[in-house]
Amino acid sequence: MTTATEVHPTAAHTVAEAIQTRRSIRKFVQEPMNQDDLHEILRLASLAPSAWNAQTWRFAVVQSQDVKAKLQEAAYGQAQIGNAPAVIVVYSDMEDTLNTVDEIAHPGMGEQGLEYIRNTFNNVFGGQDVAQRGQWGLSQANIAFGFLMLAARSLGYDTVPMLGFNPQAVRDLLGLPEHVQFAGLLPVGKRAEDGFPHHRHSVERITKFY
């Protein structure tokens, strides 16, 4: 597997190319994921930014046919779940983040920086309930979800982001804690269809300049 300092030798697209060639694909080539590529996609996604380096995102990778079939049921039978060689469940675990806050302080910040992070998280989130701070954690995980799609496309893989599923059924299936919140499901594989070309608003339609 590649290390954190290596550039993937078979990267298919630049960032701009990955954005422009990304499509929502629901039919995939029926072949297993290359596990080194899968690991690299996850590593790249894990480099997403987050406030205070909180890194609230977590990934559950489903490749077992049996588990995928049950996940498909939880996603109201949507065929792309069973059709993809891998499905990445992206969720946020803010409680785990708070319980392991010492892990997110950069070593270069020293003990003073670590104490700052501890105090900040306690002051900001200590008075919130689980659902409130969970929403903040989810906003961070959504950033990683976007990175995940571009990382996959940069290595020549395709995805389709999914929000249509029963969250409680997914928690039960994967044995996840009740407090976790989901950014989405992401089937991943090589495209077996072209998908629709982009149909987007113009920059002028969606932007105000000041």
Side-chain angles (χ1 to χ4, degrees), residues 19 22-24 196-203 205-206:
I19 291 171
R22 191 210 64 79
R23 300 287 187 271
S24 289
F196 288 108
H198 293 301
H199 176 65
R200 297 292 192 271
H201 290 306
S202 68
V203 171
R205 170 71 174 80
I206 61 174

Side-chain angles (χ1 to χ4, degrees), residues 183-195:
L185 310 182
L186 194 69
V188 182
K190 296 290 182 71
R191 67 176 66 179
E193 62 178 6
D194 288 335

Side-chain angles (χ1 to χ4, degrees), residues 42-63:
L42 295 166
R43 187 190 72 81
L44 290 171
S46 76
L47 297 177
S50 57
W52 296 307
N53 199 37
Q55 304 170 73
T56 62
W57 49 76
R58 303 291 183 268
F59 306 125
V61 181
V62 178
Q63 299 181 89

Side-chain angles (χ1 to χ4, degrees), residues 53-120:
N53 199 37
Q55 304 170 73
T56 62
W57 49 76
R58 303 291 183 268
F59 306 125
V61 181
V62 178
Q63 299 181 89
S64 158
Q65 291 297 334
D66 179 59
V67 180
K68 274 197 296 179
K70 294 175 181 176
L71 187 61
Q72 185 172 337
E73 290 180 20
Y76 312 118
Q78 295 182 80
Q80 58 265 36
I81 294 288
N83 187 258
V87 181
I88 303 174
V89 181
V90 184
Y91 64 97
S92 173
D93 192 337
M94 188 62 181
E95 298 309 295
D96 180 49
T97 297
L98 293 175
N99 290 332
T100 57
V101 70
D102 285 10
E103 296 179 5
I104 66 175
H106 195 284
M109 297 172 65
E111 185 60 35
Q112 185 176 4
L114 176 57
E115 192 62 28
Y116 166 78
I117 291 293
R118 289 171 181 158
N119 291 336
T120 298

Side-chain angles (χ1 to χ4, degrees), residues 125-171:
F125 302 111
Q128 296 181 358
D129 61 31
V130 171
Q132 282 180 305
R133 60 197 184 213
Q135 277 297 307
W136 185 90
L138 180 59
S139 71
Q140 307 302 303
N142 285 330
I143 301 172
F145 194 65
F147 268 56
L148 195 61
M149 286 184 278
L150 294 183
R153 188 66 197 131
S154 76
L155 298 186
Y157 291 89
D158 292 284
T159 59
V160 55
M162 297 178 60
L163 293 175
F165 58 92
N166 182 324
Q168 191 57 52
V170 176
R171 287 190 193 94

